[in-house]
Amino acid sequence: MEHITIIQAILVFVVAFIMGIDQFSFLESLYQPIVTCPIIGAILGNFELGIVVGGAYQLIQIGSMPIGGAQPPNAILGGIMATVFAVSLNMEATADGVGAAMGLAIPFAVFGQYAVTLTFTIMSGMMAKADKCAENADTVGIRNINFTEMAILGTLFGLLAVAGLYGGSALGNTLKDLSYTYSWVMAGLDAAGGAMKFVGFAILMKVMMSKEMWGFLLAGFVMALLCSANSSTAGATLILCAFVGVAIAIYDFTMHTKIRESAGMSASNMGGDSDGI
């Protein structure tokens, strides 16, 4: 990646500022890597690579969610830095080509986690004031407290993203030179990054998967392998699997609806408590 311009740095700051607020306030979907990474890729001059990094990094974060006060490694800074590293290393726009970038981005994702925890710690002292504003019906005071939290969180994310942008670009060039001498380093980072997306999906399955769904999972796995092995269907593997999944869902919904309707009709046709005499 060529020298970073001040315009690029400002745009990255603005994107990180907005995404940092969005994860708790706005749509709560803009901050996802599938959205953030293509925007950062476009700012850095490689939109296609940003899309690929976003899709791959989304798999890492798909099962990651905050539980109580515990914050997982942050998706925003992790996604931004994965894109920065991918562009800096001139990686190919393929899922296999961005594994090392995702592995390098994890420490920055932890910094994002610290930024969220720090903001929550700072704002915890404001809760007594917020309660007092609520008692007095002071909507302006409550609004200002929320704006203060947004400003702190967005600024922290913006500063960390810009610092990572400059530091990550320099580190990316260093790693590129290192990869020519010690290829095993990049191979290890690539393997680590490639494994993370499977870990993220496994976490999601652990939370959502029920025993009766395992058959559909295995069937979908087989179908994906068969479609991807055929050159005529390989490009549409995900779409074909999605259509089959929708068909199964429609059939399951229709059958359950009919069963409930039949059970309701049977209950209405049954006699009451009297014997009819």
Side-chain angles (χ1 to χ4, degrees), residues 209 212-221 248 252:
M209 200 70 173
E212 60 268 19
M213 296 297 177
W214 279 102
F216 295 111
L217 174 66
L218 296 176
F221 179 74
I248 294 174
D252 183 71

Side-chain angles (χ1 to χ4, degrees), residues 272-277:
D273 294 334
S274 65
D275 58 7
I277 301 176

Side-chain angles (χ1 to χ4, degrees), residues 61-242:
Q61 293 292 331
I62 196 169
S64 180
M65 62 192 72
I67 301 175
Q71 292 293 321
N74 190 263
I76 300 170
L77 281 180
I80 289 175
M81 292 312 303
T83 309
V84 169
F85 282 124
V87 175
S88 300
L89 294 169
N90 292 323
M91 292 180 169
E92 296 180 3
T94 61
D96 295 332
V98 299
M102 291 191 293
L104 289 168
I106 294 302
F108 292 91
V110 175
F111 290 150
Q113 174 188 13
Y114 293 157
V116 173
T117 303
L118 176 62
T119 303
F120 285 176
T121 302
I122 294 173
M123 294 307 299
S124 63
M126 300 289 291
M127 291 303 99
K129 184 176 180 180
D131 291 338
K132 195 167 185 178
C133 290
E135 291 175 2
N136 298 328
D138 184 4
T139 57
V140 175
I142 295 174
R143 181 200 64 188
N144 291 339
I145 290 173
N146 280 283
F147 283 167
T148 301
E149 183 273 337
M150 292 180 187
I152 294 173
L153 187 62
T155 302
L156 285 175
F157 271 85
L159 293 175
L160 286 171
V162 172
L165 176 64
Y166 284 101
S169 299
L171 180 58
N173 293 328
T174 302
L175 289 170
K176 188 192 299 183
D177 297 334
L178 185 67
S179 66
Y180 293 119
T181 307
Y182 302 100
S183 60
W184 56 270
V185 175
M186 297 304 294
L189 290 171
D190 183 58
M196 288 176 188
K197 53 192 175 185
F198 298 106
V199 173
F201 197 75
I203 294 173
L204 178 68
M205 288 175 57
K206 183 177 180 181
V207 174
M208 298 181 62
M209 200 70 173
S210 57
K211 291 184 291 185
E212 60 268 19
M213 296 297 177
W214 279 102
F216 295 111
L217 174 66
L218 296 176
F221 179 74
V222 172
M223 181 182 175
L225 287 178
L226 293 176
C227 290
S228 60
N230 190 333
S231 59
S232 62
T233 58
T237 298
L238 290 178
I239 296 177
L240 292 173
C241 291

